[in-house]
């Protein structure tokens, strides 16, 4: 009765990594219990998660190096295995909410989220590429688009492009306040998506800035975002809090790979009680104001809730 914050499996979105091929289940060493799956095996994993009460997933593609190019053209290619996987998963499990990643980096030979020319990220030239990718994902049946690229103006550009293409029902969870963080390391290793040159500081936010998050949020909100995300989560609880206080749409947070890896490592060393520390971390993100949390702990948390 006096507990102020409720945390349940319903608040969680489970990230899954997929790669092209058959019978693949490769564990990501820095995220034990998380795997790169091929389509035929990911279906059983999703079913297992559904049985634990998880009904929201975000799907990230690992793309073979030889399919990457400067314009990320594979991201909307007709024979793209990720788009096919979206269609198969949604057909198999129409009841789940499936979220995508919209950014160039998994498909870009430069490993950046935008188009690179002479070492500079070209913001406006990137937008039509993101729009093609988004329409292709919407066409495949994705429920929620997740633009993680941080180009300026992309939410409005994507919303217009989607509406014109007939996908007004596809929603957008904007990566609104995404910081240039060191905590993305294990994710980039899992997908082989690290930038080949330079860093992402010209488009991702400076960890020192809080008021700037309000500017980013104001833009995404005006441009038509349905939900706004803060990323990472635990080092940015104050950012989650101010967005929740200032905007009346759902606020989500990404409990990123590096944050989870710290707890996994402590568990392996016997330094922390895994279930207790993982639950406390998720609760703190909820308490800060996140309605939804993207977290690699989703499945273990669901098992923990079920068994306790
Ligand atoms: C890239 C993207 C990243 C993550 C999600 N989408 C990495 C990056 O910006 O370099 C990180 C997620 C995580 O660390 O768990 N578009």
């Amino acid at each position: 009765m006096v507990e102020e914050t409720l945390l349940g499996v319903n608040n969680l979105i489970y990230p899954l990594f997929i790669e092209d091929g058959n019978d693949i289940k490769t564990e990501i060493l820095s995220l034990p219990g998380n795997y790169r799956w091929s389509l035929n095996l990911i279906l059983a994993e999703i079913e297992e998660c559904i049985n634990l009460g998880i009904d929201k997933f975000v799907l990230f593609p690992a793309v073979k190096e030889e399919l990457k190019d400067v314009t990320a053209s594979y991201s909307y290619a007709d024979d793209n295995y990720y788009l096919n996987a979206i269609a198969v998963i949604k057909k198999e499990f129409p009841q789940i909410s499936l979220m995508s990643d919209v950014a160039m980096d998994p498909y870009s030979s430069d490993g950046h989220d935008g188009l690179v020319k002479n070492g500079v990220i070209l913001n406006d030239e990137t937008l039509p590429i993101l729009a093609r990718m988004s329409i292709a994902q919407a066409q495949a049946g994705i429920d929620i688009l997740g633009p993680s690229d941080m180009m300026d103006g992309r939410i409005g550009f994507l919303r217009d492009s989607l509406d014109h293409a007939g996908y007004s029902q596809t929603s957008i969870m904007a990566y609104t306040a995404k910081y240039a963080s060191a905590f993305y390391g294990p994710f980039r290793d899992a997908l082989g998506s690290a930038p080949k040159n330079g860093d992402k500081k010209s488009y991702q936010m400076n960890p020192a800035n809080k008021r700037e998050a309000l500017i980013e949020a104001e833009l995404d909100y005006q441009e038509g975002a349905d939900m706004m995300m803060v990323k990472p989560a635990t080092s940015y609880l104050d950012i989650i809090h101010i967005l929740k206080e200032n905007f009346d749409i759902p606020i989500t947070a990404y409990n990123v790979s590096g944050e989870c890896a710290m707890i996994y490592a402590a568990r392996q060393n016997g330094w922390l009680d895994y279930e207790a520390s993982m639950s406390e971390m998720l609760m703190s993100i909820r308490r800060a104001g996140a309605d939804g949390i993207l977290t690699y702990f989703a499945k273990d948390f669901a098992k923990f809730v079920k068994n306790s």
Side-chain angles (χ1 to χ4, degrees):
M1 184 179 76
V2 295
E3 194 165 77
E4 296 175 23
T5 309
L6 297 177
L7 167 69
V9 177
N10 193 36
N11 297 111
L12 308 183
I13 306 171
Y14 193 26
L16 295 172
F17 300 107
I18 189 161
E19 73 173 89
D20 199 9
N22 237 316
D23 296 333
I24 299 167
K25 179 184 178 184
T26 310
E27 189 163 36
I28 297 150
L29 294 179
S30 48
L31 301 171
N34 292 268
Y35 301 84
R36 274 196 319 271
W37 304 91
S38 57
L39 178 60
N40 66 324
L41 298 187
I42 211 170
L43 295 173
E45 172 72 358
I46 293 174
E47 187 160 21
E48 205 181 309
C49 291
I50 291 172
N51 292 332
L52 288 166
I54 300 170
D55 63 357
K56 293 172 278 296
F57 300 86
V58 53
L59 194 62
F60 290 101
V63 176
K64 292 190 174 71
E65 241 0 89
E66 60 266 27
L67 292 171
K68 300 182 182 180
D69 61 19
V70 288
T71 58
S73 61
Y74 183 67
S75 65
Y76 48 80
D78 287 337
D79 60 349
N80 177 311
Y81 87 91
Y82 176 68
L83 299 172
N84 174 56
I86 290 171
V88 171
I89 292 169
K90 277 302 294 184
K91 187 157 183 276
E92 198 77 20
F93 307 109
Q95 73 274 33
I96 66 168
S97 292
L98 192 60
M99 178 173 160
S100 69
D101 186 40
V102 177
M104 286 179 63
D105 60 328
Y107 316 95
S108 153
S109 44
D110 293 303
H112 275 285
D113 296 28
L115 202 58
V116 184
K117 203 165 190 182
N118 304 325
V120 176
I121 310 295
L122 302 179
N123 187 94
D124 294 6
E125 289 80 347
T126 300
L127 302 183
I129 298 172
L130 299 176
R132 264 184 99 161
M133 190 184 308
S134 298
I135 290 168
Q137 293 175 359
Q139 198 166 20
I142 207 79
D143 300 294
I144 305 170
L145 292 162
S148 65
D149 56 284
M150 287 300 277
M151 297 302 120
D152 290 334
R154 92 275 203 215
I155 300 302
F157 195 94
L158 296 184
R159 187 70 272 163
D160 279 352
S161 309
L162 288 160
D163 290 355
H164 280 113
Y167 297 106
S168 58
Q169 300 296 315
T170 310
S171 65
I172 299 179
M173 184 191 292
Y175 285 61
T176 291
K178 176 173 177 179
Y179 286 85
S181 170
F183 290 103
Y184 306 148
F187 175 97
R188 292 179 188 169
D189 292 343
L191 294 186
S193 65
K196 302 280 184 329
N197 284 296
D199 55 42
K200 298 191 173 186
K201 291 180 181 170
S202 74
Y203 48 104
Q204 298 182 349
M205 288 177 60
N206 181 341
N209 289 3
K210 174 157 142 180
R211 296 169 69 231
E212 190 186 2
L214 290 171
I215 301 176
E216 293 285 354
E218 190 62 45
L219 291 167
D220 285 358
Y221 183 84
Q222 294 296 344
E223 290 174 27
D226 298 289
M227 298 165 257
M228 296 197 287
M229 187 205 294
V230 174
K231 177 181 174 184
T234 51
S235 301
Y236 299 85
L237 296 174
D238 54 335
I239 312 300
I240 298 171
H241 180 73
I242 54 163
L243 291 204
K244 184 60 176 252
E245 295 284 296
N246 285 282
F247 294 89
D248 55 9
I249 57 175
I251 302 300
T252 59
Y254 200 143
N255 183 209
V256 299
S257 57
E259 300 177 286
C260 298
M262 293 191 293
I263 288 188
Y264 288 131
R267 170 182 60 177
Q268 279 173 355
N269 281 291
W271 293 340
L272 283 176
D273 176 329
Y274 175 58
E275 275 85 11
S277 54
M278 169 250 283
S279 306
E280 184 176 332
M281 182 182 266
L282 295 174
M283 180 60 88
S284 74
I285 301 168
R286 279 282 291 145
R287 194 190 63 240
D291 300 290
I293 306 170
L294 296 86
T295 180
Y296 302 93
F297 295 140
K299 190 178 177 191
D300 284 347
F301 180 79
K303 280 189 203 162
F304 174 57
V305 169
K306 201 171 182 176
N307 297 333
S308 58

